[in-house]
Amino acid sequence: MATNNLEEIEFTANHYSNLIRDERYNRLTKEHVEYFKSILPKDNVICSLDDSEETKKELLKYNIDWMKKYRGQSQLVLLPTSTDEVSQCLRYCNENNLAVVPQSGNSGLVGGSVPVFDEIIISTKAMNKIIDFDDVSGVLTCNAGCVLADLEAYVEERGFMVPLDMGSKKYCCIGGNVSSNAGGLRYLRYGSLHSNVLGLEVVLANGQVIDNLSKLRKDSTGYDIKQLFIGAEGTLGIITNVAISTPRKPKAVNAVFLSTDSWENVQAIYKTAKEHLQEIISAFEFFDEDAYSLVKQHMQLQVPLKEENKFYVLVETHGSNKQHDNEKLHSFLEAIKTSNVAREGYVSKDDQQTRSFWIIRESVPVACSKNGAVFKYDLSIPIAQIYDVAIYMRKYLKEANVYRPGDETSEVINVAAYGHIGDGNIHINISCKSYSEEIANLIEPEIFYWTRDHNGVISGEHGLGLMKGKYLAISKPGSMIRIMESIKNILDPNYIMNPYKYLPKKRITRLSDIRS
Ligand code: MLT
Ligand code: ZN
């Protein structure tokens, strides 16, 4: 069983035998720490060089990720309070060859926000102020360390909504969301951060501040440089301020919860939803019976249906007239019942019931992690084949004799599938008792090759981080990787920003690379 004692979690560097510290990076000294203490407020430098048990404990939460899968060995966390302080920290690190990991809410799922070795953690958490909000254009400008739920509350009071919503919104911060190009639950309706982020202020590795905090929707004057930092996962610089477009909060939010017995039916339901709900559809989410079995077991939650089934679907609408949208949802439900693609389904009676539908969907990833360890995938695959990856992985793991449903000694406990059908983005969560390298090597890169062979990419929303950087060549042609490397060379020539991840030197390009 995986441990809950943070101190017992294995160091990433020990767990993954292929990782070697790059000795070009200097090791932290007392002089370095003295410099940071001279530029930052006293409490914003957390350092364990003095061997104090208290600071070592404090550092654990910055060194370990949300899944308790990755553990770095950083001895220093810096919490700058302004862009200027971030700039001074980075300039010094660059001049002194000190590797850096930018960190935000530390709720990432690919090991991107924690160190691999002793990289210095620069957290944006102390930069958490809203700068301004324009209630005509709906543009919100804020510091990178603002928690997503706080931003949501702020704009909601003014009749707007943040275009991004996710289960981790109470912890994640907007800077991390932008850095990892987070997708979320309503991407289908409100689109990606590439379209909603209007401006960014970023500090480069050498301390230079890029002021591109534009609030304009349109700008056709040259390369759109800010897009480089959206999804760069802290490898090109640290995002310090964000300007984001927020839509009006919908007057009416309605939802339907239903179940069906085949993947063909899920697709038919999706087509009918688009036909009947068109401009008001805001989310189309699903989870399967394996995912639901964990929700029942670990979260003690039940779907609001009389019968259990193979697939569960949550459809949500955002519109301006509750009664009108309600009628549309009833006619949608009627249509799918008449065509026999679903037997049971209900329109939510009120906002509370809509919320209770969402709680079930949002509890799926939490339930998947309750067995101790979970290998998480966020594949983007054309909708027609998307569920085949779950069928394939179950068969593959059974044939490898590590997945033996009903056998208590089975290494793999559950293979759950859920996700965002409307966005062609499926999550496969493989629950195990602990993180074994043997299981990891069995699943990866097999699941990624299957995805590529079915015209998909290995990440639709969680990003590359440490977990998937080495597999980048499975999803991107060499010509594109070379452009990515050139950009990295220009913006971070000393490679101090988030090393060992995203664009690591050693990449796997062929199955034989890892199987030989
Ligand atoms: C989700 O869709 O629930 C999120 O991507 C989080 C997750 O999969 O853990
Ligand atoms: Zn997701």
Side-chain angles (χ1 to χ4, degrees):
M1 187 72 182
T3 177
N4 275 327
N5 181 350
L6 296 186
E7 280 164 35
E8 282 174 11
I9 293 171
E10 201 182 354
F11 290 117
T12 304
N14 298 345
H15 191 84
Y16 298 91
S17 40
N18 59 333
L19 289 167
I20 298 164
R21 186 183 185 279
D22 189 335
E23 293 304 328
R24 281 177 314 165
Y25 302 124
N26 282 323
R27 290 179 192 271
L28 188 71
T29 64
K30 290 209 159 106
E31 288 67 47
H32 298 141
V33 180
E34 281 317 309
Y35 172 77
F36 293 119
K37 284 188 176 161
S38 76
I39 58 163
L40 298 182
K42 188 172 137 290
D43 293 341
N44 295 26
V45 178
I46 311 170
C47 175
S48 65
L49 269 189
D50 59 1
D51 282 335
S52 130
E53 284 310 311
E54 207 182 310
T55 37
K56 276 192 182 153
K57 266 216 170 91
E58 176 73 4
L59 277 169
L60 275 179
K61 51 179 199 264
Y62 294 91
N63 267 309
I64 296 174
D65 73 319
W66 179 83
M67 295 179 297
K68 304 190 178 73
K69 183 176 179 186
Y70 301 103
R71 177 175 178 190
Q73 304 169 54
S74 182
Q75 294 180 295
L76 181 65
V77 176
L78 304 175
L79 293 137
T81 60
S82 67
T83 303
D84 189 47
E85 286 178 3
V86 174
S87 166
Q88 290 184 64
C89 291
L90 278 181
R91 189 180 313 120
Y92 184 84
C93 290
N94 197 41
E95 283 165 3
N96 289 277
N97 254 332
L98 295 163
V100 166
V101 175
Q103 195 177 90
S104 185
N106 196 15
S107 57
L109 299 169
V110 289
S113 60
V114 288
V116 178
F117 295 97
D118 55 348
E119 301 89 275
I120 295 173
I121 298 169
I122 301 189
S123 166
T124 53
K125 280 203 139 172
M127 296 171 66
N128 53 10
K129 303 219 168 29
I130 288 168
I131 301 171
D132 65 50
F133 180 68
D134 178 339
D135 67 2
V136 180
S137 65
V139 179
L140 170 73
T141 312
C142 63
N143 291 166
C146 288
V147 172
L148 189 61
D150 295 344
L151 295 179
E152 189 181 84
Y154 179 89
V155 295
E156 269 191 22
E157 263 178 42
R158 290 154 181 85
F160 290 76
M161 62 174 278
V162 178
L164 175 78
D165 192 8
M166 41 221 290
S168 57
K169 66 184 167 198
K170 288 195 185 128
Y171 322 99
C172 64
C173 304
I174 191 71
N177 298 145
V178 175
S179 277
S180 57
N181 189 21
L185 302 164
R186 297 199 179 83
Y187 188 104
L188 175 66
R189 171 70 170 273
Y190 297 101
S192 79
L193 288 171
H194 281 293
S195 60
N196 291 316
V197 171
L198 303 181
L200 289 179
E201 180 191 74
V202 182
V203 183
L204 299 183
N206 64 5
Q208 189 189 340
V209 180
I210 304 286
D211 179 5
N212 186 205
L213 202 57
S214 163
K215 296 173 191 171
L216 303 173
R217 281 202 80 84
K218 295 178 94 176
D219 180 349
S220 294
T221 56
Y223 300 133
D224 193 355
I225 301 295
K226 70 167 184 300
Q227 299 295 351
L228 286 177
F229 299 94
I230 303 173
E233 299 179 34
T235 58
L236 300 179
I238 297 185
I239 295 173
T240 42
N241 284 319
V242 177
I244 186 167
S245 167
T246 68
R248 287 300 303 192
K249 189 173 174 314
K251 290 211 175 82
V253 179
N254 290 341
V256 162
F257 199 96
L258 56 90
S259 75
T260 189
D261 56 7
S262 76
W263 185 249
E264 286 65 39
N265 284 348
V266 175
Q267 291 181 68
I269 294 166
Y270 179 52
K271 274 163 86 178
T272 315
K274 289 223 292 186
E275 189 192 326
H276 282 254
L277 307 170
Q278 288 192 12
E279 74 291 349
I280 57 169
I281 189 163
S282 53
F284 191 101
E285 299 280 310
F286 95 101
F287 52 89
D288 70 0
E289 58 183 346
D290 293 71
Y292 180 48
S293 71
L294 294 177
V295 171
K296 274 190 306 187
Q297 183 186 347
H298 296 295
M299 314 300 288
Q300 282 80 46
L301 287 172
Q302 294 229 316
V303 292
L305 302 168
K306 291 190 197 84
E307 285 172 29
E308 293 195 359
N309 217 329
K310 287 201 162 42
F311 296 96
Y312 300 92
V313 171
L314 168 56
V315 188
E316 186 202 57
T317 60
H318 279 183
S320 52
N321 185 321
K322 189 138 188 114
Q323 202 189 330
H324 174 252
D325 295 353
N326 223 20
E327 279 162 19
K328 280 188 153 194
L329 276 172
H330 278 287
S331 84
F332 154 69
L333 207 51
E334 206 44 52
I336 57 169
K337 282 187 181 163
T338 313
S339 59
N340 262 333
V341 290
R343 277 201 309 273
E344 213 191 344
Y346 301 99
V347 176
S348 62
K349 287 195 285 291
D350 49 30
D351 290 350
Q352 205 185 339
Q353 194 171 30
T354 301
R355 187 67 213 127
S356 72
F357 291 173
W358 273 111
I359 288 173
I360 298 168
R361 161 60 185 90
E362 286 174 18
S363 72
V364 173
V366 182
C368 290
S369 66
K370 292 279 181 195
N371 287 313
V374 57
F375 292 95
K376 296 178 77 73
Y377 302 92
D378 60 314
L379 313 161
S380 209
I381 301 173
I383 301 178
Q385 282 102 49
I386 206 169
Y387 192 70
D388 291 348
V389 67
I391 298 170
Y392 175 75
M393 286 312 291
R394 284 181 193 127
K395 184 167 161 279
Y396 169 80
L397 294 170
K398 278 181 191 163
E399 278 169 9
N401 202 28
V402 293
Y403 182 34
R404 301 178 300 279
D407 175 351
E408 276 191 9
T409 65
S410 174
E411 290 86 337
V412 170
I413 298 169
N414 184 296
V415 180
Y418 59 95
H420 323 287
I421 294 302
D423 307 322
N425 186 196
I426 190 167
H427 294 296
I428 300 294
N429 276 215
I430 302 178
S431 302
C432 301
K433 290 191 192 97
S434 61
Y435 289 113
S436 98
E437 208 174 347
E438 189 204 336
I439 300 289
N441 289 339
L442 199 60
I443 305 171
E444 301 164 20
E446 186 69 26
I447 191 164
F448 300 137
Y449 278 106
W450 190 98
T451 302
R452 183 203 55 189
D453 294 345
H454 293 81
N455 306 311
V457 293
I458 63 175
S459 176
E461 62 177 4
H462 296 167
L464 298 169
L466 179 64
M467 181 187 175
K468 285 174 245 161
K470 56 183 179 290
Y471 301 118
L472 178 61
I474 297 178
S475 281
K476 286 268 184 296
S479 54
M480 287 174 82
I481 295 180
R482 279 190 293 281
I483 296 175
M484 287 171 74
E485 280 168 344
S486 306
I487 292 168
K488 172 80 175 168
N489 280 332
I490 294 171
L491 298 182
D492 178 24
N494 296 332
Y495 271 70
I496 64 158
M497 303 300 301
N498 221 357
Y500 314 106
K501 306 164 188 165
Y502 199 85
L503 269 175
K505 293 259 147 44
K506 189 167 163 18
R507 273 190 294 277
I508 287 159
T509 51
R510 296 178 308 273
L511 274 178
S512 55
D513 287 349
I514 52 110
R515 286 195 174 150
S516 56

